[in-house]
Structures are given as C-alpha cells and as structure tokens.
Amino acid sequence: MVALRPDREVLTRQRLPYFVGISGETAGSRGLSMHIVVIPPGGVAAPHRHRGYETAIYVLEGRVETRFGPGLRERVVSGAGEFLFIPPDVPHQACNLSDTDPARAVVARNDPAEQENVVPYDPAEDSGADGG
C-alpha cells in the first residue's frame, strides 16, 4: 500500500499544471494513474490524444469545454460534479470557460505512465484516418 499527498505541481505535455498522485513512478501501479489537473483562468490545453488508454475525468470546480474528434470540431461542456470519458486515441483539447477562476478536476487513466503516452495533436493536419 502507498499513501501519497500531491504536494508538487508539474507542467504536462498538455501545458497544464498537474498535481501527480498515483502512477507507476510514484506508487508502483501497473494499470492506472490518477492526478489532479488545474486549468488556469482562461487556460487552454495543448491539443493532444492519449495513445492506447482510456481517461475518466471528474470536474471538481469550474466549467470546462472539451473540443474533440477530427479537427476538434465537436464540443462538450463539463461542470463541477460531472464526469467525462475519453476513449483511447481521441484527439481533444480542454478550455477553462472562466476568465477569473481556475477549473480543477481528477483525472484517472488505465495507464500507469504519467506522460509517456500523451501525443501532441495538430487539428490542421488531421486526416482522421490513422488514429495512432
């Protein structure tokens, strides 16, 4: 058993601050990771996809618009108390809808790596064909 307190902020490949919790590196997990993400007021994540793993998000506070799919043409808004599921390899980008307050969420993945399988995504180059 491992007990952790996320006491340091790291900047992710998505260009968002994370408070690292459970991962292969911190707890020796082999099949999951769980962290807290903070999207600053007006903040926007770098577009990306998660290579080969599912992601579940629970919004603790704030309202976040997630653009997703080929060219990031689809949108969903999630608020405090709501869950969002992101299937493997779906391109997406999170945007805090508030210009004054941060948005915070718990992020859980079925991948113990903290960032290794986060892949940058350029919506302008999307053909929607390769998925990988």
Side-chain angles (χ1 to χ4, degrees):
M1 186 176 318
V2 176
L4 299 166
R5 177 177 292 273
D7 58 2
R8 66 180 172 88
E9 181 181 302
V10 297
L11 190 62
T12 63
R13 289 184 182 172
Q14 301 95 308
R15 294 194 309 253
L16 292 176
Y18 260 46
F19 290 87
V20 176
I22 305 299
S23 70
E25 184 177 318
T26 63
S29 66
R30 293 181 297 203
L32 66 88
S33 63
M34 188 167 70
H35 313 289
I36 301 289
V37 64
V38 178
I39 306 175
V44 178
H48 63 284
R49 60 186 180 79
H50 302 152
R51 181 176 45 223
Y53 65 85
E54 299 174 324
T55 300
I57 298 171
Y58 179 75
V59 180
L60 297 167
E61 56 185 46
R63 285 176 30 94
V64 178
E65 178 183 74
T66 303
R67 300 171 187 148
F68 66 98
L72 303 177
R73 290 184 288 274
E74 298 183 60
R75 289 170 167 55
V76 63
V77 174
S78 304
E82 296 180 329
F83 289 93
L84 179 65
F85 172 72
I86 303 172
D89 301 303
V90 172
H92 59 283
Q93 178 182 42
C95 311
N96 183 347
L97 294 176
S98 174
D99 290 330
T100 57
D101 298 310
R104 289 183 175 81
V106 174
V107 178
R109 304 171 172 162
N110 64 330
D111 180 354
E114 292 173 21
Q115 288 289 297
E116 288 83 350
N117 293 311
V118 174
V119 180
Y121 171 76
D122 183 350
E125 295 178 6
D126 186 90
S127 68
D130 71 356

